[in-house]
Amino acid sequence: MMNKRPAGPSAPTPREPGRPTVHAAGLSVVRGGRTVVDDLTFDVAPGTVTGLLGPSGCGKSTLMRAIVGTQAKVTGTLDVLGQPAGSAPLRSRVGYVTQDPSVYGDLTARQNLDYFAAVLGIPRRQRAEAVDRALHDVDLADHAGSLTANLSGGQHSRVSLAVALLGSPELLVLDEPTVGLDPVLRRDLWNLFHRLAAENGTALLISSHVMDEADRCQNLLLMRAGRLLAADSPDALRARTHTDSVEDAFLHLVDEARRADAA
């Protein structure tokens, strides 16, 4: 079980009222001559947990890379925290966790976090507190001195998540962060995500191909074959499609799209 999150060293950054954290309009990505993200328009509001759901290969990871500014050949409008995605001032304001852990196996969990805290420019006098807080958040305090290479796959991924939490980002982009985790840890991580949104005003965009995680989100972006099928809350999607589950709603929307393409 995760411990209560210790208080941070500073208050959340003030945000412009009414401005979405992410604003996309007519967003497309072409790779290898193929359109992998096709004309998406959506907003992600501050202080919310938004799920990005769809089958493997539908464009979720490409969209996330576009949002954090690491994807080439992006067209359309894509603003993050009021600036074009990938702008230099956003680097300390956006946290990103890929599916593949991006930490050093020959360092301990604490050494990894201390190193990345220095890279982020966290003052030395605040660094230990920030590292302790992140380790507690992802339930790794008891493994802080373990070499990352010796941790389990799920623990290894949590070190990457802890790194993303170090700077108290205003936007946290997580690519399938709960894959391979046990049910208790999955629950605790989702509780953490909602706490970050409610207490810090952080906007979280979390991808998954597991539909049963949809009800853990306040809003959903449903994708298939590079297209956005819907952008709404789980309850609104069920009501709109007259279905009992988000999975059934997704299948209903897929059938609608197929009929529209065939017409």
Side-chain angles (χ1 to χ4, degrees):
M1 297 287 291
M2 292 187 178
N3 298 319
K4 184 178 179 181
R5 190 174 200 257
S10 60
T13 302
R15 293 164 177 82
E16 181 180 325
R19 186 185 72 189
T21 297
V22 179
H23 170 66
L27 174 66
S28 296
V29 177
V30 176
R31 191 171 61 231
R34 184 173 67 91
T35 301
V36 293
V37 171
D38 189 4
D39 195 25
L40 306 189
T41 296
F42 64 89
D43 288 337
V44 175
T48 60
V49 178
T50 297
L52 175 59
L53 279 80
S56 297
C58 73
K60 300 189 302 294
S61 294
T62 299
L63 174 57
M64 289 184 145
R65 288 194 298 270
I67 289 171
V68 300
T70 62
Q71 178 62 53
K73 298 185 178 178
V74 178
T75 59
T77 298
L78 182 55
D79 292 334
V80 175
L81 296 166
Q83 301 184 61
S87 299
L90 296 175
R91 291 171 187 165
S92 63
R93 303 173 68 191
V94 177
Y96 178 40
V97 180
T98 64
Q99 292 182 39
D100 297 321
S102 53
V103 290
Y104 297 102
D106 57 346
L107 299 180
T108 67
R110 181 178 296 279
Q111 287 170 337
N112 265 293
L113 267 65
D114 191 61
Y115 168 76
F116 283 105
V119 171
L120 286 169
I122 297 176
R124 183 176 293 276
R125 63 183 179 277
Q126 298 178 8
R127 204 172 296 165
E129 182 181 0
V131 168
D132 285 342
R133 186 174 67 253
L135 287 168
H136 276 282
D137 279 346
V138 299
D139 199 25
L140 282 178
D142 292 340
H143 300 279
S146 301
L147 282 178
T148 305
N150 295 337
L151 297 175
S152 70
Q155 291 169 332
H156 202 177
S157 297
R158 281 185 278 150
V159 177
S160 292
L161 175 57
V163 169
L165 294 174
L166 280 172
S168 299
E170 296 168 66
L171 170 64
L172 192 55
V173 179
L174 307 174
D175 199 351
E176 303 199 349
T178 60
V179 170
L181 302 184
D182 67 77
V184 173
L185 183 55
R186 285 177 62 196
R187 179 200 62 193
D188 289 349
L189 280 180
W190 279 103
N191 288 341
L192 168 63
F193 299 155
H194 281 279
R195 192 163 69 248
L196 290 170
E199 296 179 3
N200 295 2
T202 307
L204 294 98
L205 180 63
I206 303 171
S207 76
S208 178
H209 62 273
V210 181
M211 287 292 172
D212 66 4
E213 294 200 316
D215 280 308
R216 298 179 184 269
C217 304
Q218 294 160 290
N219 298 296
L220 296 173
L221 302 175
L222 299 185
M223 286 187 68
R224 179 180 179 274
R227 296 181 181 178
L228 190 62
L229 295 178
D232 219 329
S233 69
D235 285 343
L237 285 170
R238 284 189 289 265
R240 167 182 159 187
T241 57
H242 307 288
T243 55
D244 296 324
S245 69
V246 172
E247 181 172 0
D248 287 340
F250 177 79
L251 294 173
H252 178 93
L253 293 169
V254 168
D255 290 340
E256 274 189 351
R258 284 174 173 167
R259 286 193 295 268
D261 288 343

